[in-house]
Amino acid sequence: MLLSGGLDSATVLAMANQQGFACHALSFDYQQRHQVELRAARDIAHHLGAVEHKIIKIALGELGGSALTDKNIAVPEARPEAVPKAGDDDIPVTYVPARNTIFLAFALAYAETRQASDIFIGVNAVDYSGYPDCRPAFIKAFAETARLATRAGLVGQSFAIHTPLIGMHKAEIIRTGSRLGVDYDLTISCYQADEAGQACGRCDACRFRRQGFTAASITDPTVYAND
């Protein structure tokens, strides 16, 4: 279970629990802009009863190329249109090159060591910033890679990459998690939250979060710095 500390992955963890999975959660310290999400991930893993929670360090900041790993690149705020249309190359600078490919590769290795065949990730292709590694075609291709690239796959074991949120609007995700008892006060979505955990309220992630809670008619527990 890939667990970022955001509301999407927290909801997926709750959904996996409901389905009877014993969840081993995996988070990443990848030199991202803030560490608040890792504290959130620890709290969520405890709150939702993960069997195990590991935080893996990856030096993606050494590669740069993203506003989330390079503080010299500004996080876009209040973009008028957050989701590129099909075929559009206008992927925002908050995209971290190959991040989900790398994260899923670690999850795949983790699954093999635990003799597990199910991997959960909270990608979404509806209310999102247009990242290429959140789309169904990528997930399908990675599942095939998992089959070809592992000892388990070689002996006939298949890996299921579960993406239960991929076609859901944010409001539906929030309603689902609320029904399952997710405490969204523990989660953080902001790309540039401060060390106190206050969200900026202006980036894409904050905008989708606000809109989702409003559409779901559920109070947003987020503390926004500009409110």
Side-chain angles (χ1 to χ4, degrees):
M1 171 69 225
L2 290 173
L3 186 65
S4 69
L7 72 83
D8 289 341
S9 63
T11 304
V12 173
L13 178 53
M15 295 170 78
N17 282 341
Q18 185 191 45
Q19 294 173 44
F21 287 95
C23 297
H24 297 255
L26 194 60
S27 303
F28 297 93
D29 180 349
Y30 61 96
Q31 299 180 326
Q32 58 265 57
R33 185 174 282 264
H34 62 74
Q35 296 287 299
V36 178
E37 65 183 51
L38 292 176
R39 297 203 299 267
R42 282 193 291 266
D43 291 343
I44 294 161
H46 177 74
H47 164 58
L48 293 175
V51 173
E52 184 178 24
H53 179 221
K54 290 184 177 293
I55 297 177
I56 305 295
K57 289 189 175 184
I58 312 173
L60 293 185
E62 299 297 320
L63 305 180
S66 170
L68 299 193
T69 57
D70 184 344
K71 292 185 178 180
N72 293 315
I73 302 175
V75 172
E77 298 180 355
R79 291 200 298 146
E81 179 58 53
V83 182
K85 296 178 174 59
D88 196 337
D89 292 327
D90 184 26
I91 305 300
V93 294
T94 49
Y95 162 68
V96 180
R99 181 177 62 177
N100 282 347
T101 306
I102 294 166
F103 288 0
L104 280 170
F106 272 87
L108 179 61
Y110 191 24
E112 272 209 290
T113 69
R114 297 297 184 272
Q115 291 78 53
S117 57
D118 296 273
I119 297 170
F120 285 79
I121 182 172
V123 292
N124 180 268
V126 180
D127 293 334
Y128 78 131
S129 294
Y131 302 151
D133 55 2
C134 289
R135 297 170 180 170
F138 163 70
I139 298 299
K140 181 179 179 181
F142 189 88
E144 177 63 6
T145 297
R147 184 183 69 82
L148 294 172
T150 58
R151 181 174 62 186
L154 187 65
V155 299
Q157 176 184 329
S158 61
F159 290 90
I161 313 298
H162 297 269
T163 58
L165 310 184
I166 202 159
M168 295 171 66
H169 286 284
K170 194 68 73 178
E172 186 181 357
I173 294 169
I174 291 167
R175 291 191 195 101
T176 298
S178 296
R179 287 195 300 269
L180 295 175
V182 177
D183 182 359
Y184 286 121
D185 189 38
L186 299 177
T187 67
I188 184 73
S189 301
C190 183
Y191 290 146
Q192 52 186 353
D194 63 25
E195 286 305 307
Q198 293 186 116
C200 74
R202 300 181 301 275
C203 67
D204 283 356
C206 283
R207 185 160 64 85
F208 286 130
R209 184 180 174 108
R210 278 189 196 260
Q211 291 173 349
F213 277 104
T214 298
S217 299
I218 293 174
T219 301
D220 183 357
T222 309
V223 177
Y224 294 102
N226 63 337
D227 285 352

